[in-house]
Amino acid sequence: MQQSPQIITKVYDFLLYLLPQVAKFPKSERYLLGERLENVSFDSLELLLEAVYSIQKLPLLQKTNIKLEQARHYVRLCKDLKLLDLHRYEVVSKKLDEIGVQLGGWIKQQKQKK
């Protein structure tokens, strides 16, 4: 259970960085692409929080993994549409990768328990 608070902190920090970036998007993109990116990010945090207190963690962690993959694609789209400059894209991608590594470790741990 030691891993879970750390990954939750990482997702929280990711949101702290992401939300002001999305707020800078042009209005037309903020309410479609920006909102989708925010939603999958918030969904990830909520699923992880649920997993901490759940007996059946693996299904929640696997759903989080899908949300994380969606976020990666949305972020890449933001970069390609020039909504995120290269530096911000690199920062966001690095944060997502760190979350992914921790999530992968937690999933692996849960699979070994079965």
Side-chain angles (χ1 to χ4, degrees), residues 100-111:
V101 166
Q102 288 194 349
L103 181 59
W106 198 5
I107 288 171
K108 185 177 176 182
Q109 177 196 41
Q110 290 302 307
K111 284 182 176 178

Side-chain angles (χ1 to χ4, degrees), residues 30-111:
R30 187 170 54 232
Y31 294 109
L32 180 63
L33 183 56
E35 194 171 286
R36 283 186 184 227
L37 179 54
E38 288 175 346
N39 286 341
V40 297
S41 302
F42 279 114
D43 289 348
S44 297
L45 179 62
E46 291 166 4
L47 286 164
L48 288 170
L49 287 168
E50 193 175 338
V52 170
Y53 296 101
S54 176
I55 293 169
Q56 297 291 325
K57 296 178 185 332
L58 191 57
L60 294 167
L61 297 176
Q62 289 170 328
K63 279 185 185 179
T64 305
N65 205 26
I66 292 167
K67 296 290 181 181
L68 199 61
E69 193 60 29
Q70 290 170 335
R72 282 188 180 108
H73 281 80
Y74 293 150
V75 166
R76 196 170 109 213
L77 188 56
C78 289
K79 179 202 50 118
D80 291 344
L81 291 171
K82 304 209 183 323
L83 301 171
L84 288 173
D85 63 31
L86 192 57
H87 170 72
R88 286 182 176 83
Y89 170 73
E90 288 172 353
V91 171
V92 170
S93 293
K94 184 180 178 208
K95 288 179 180 292
L96 282 171
D97 287 345
E98 290 171 356
I99 293 165
V101 166
Q102 288 194 349
L103 181 59
W106 198 5
I107 288 171
K108 185 177 176 182
Q109 177 196 41
Q110 290 302 307
K111 284 182 176 178

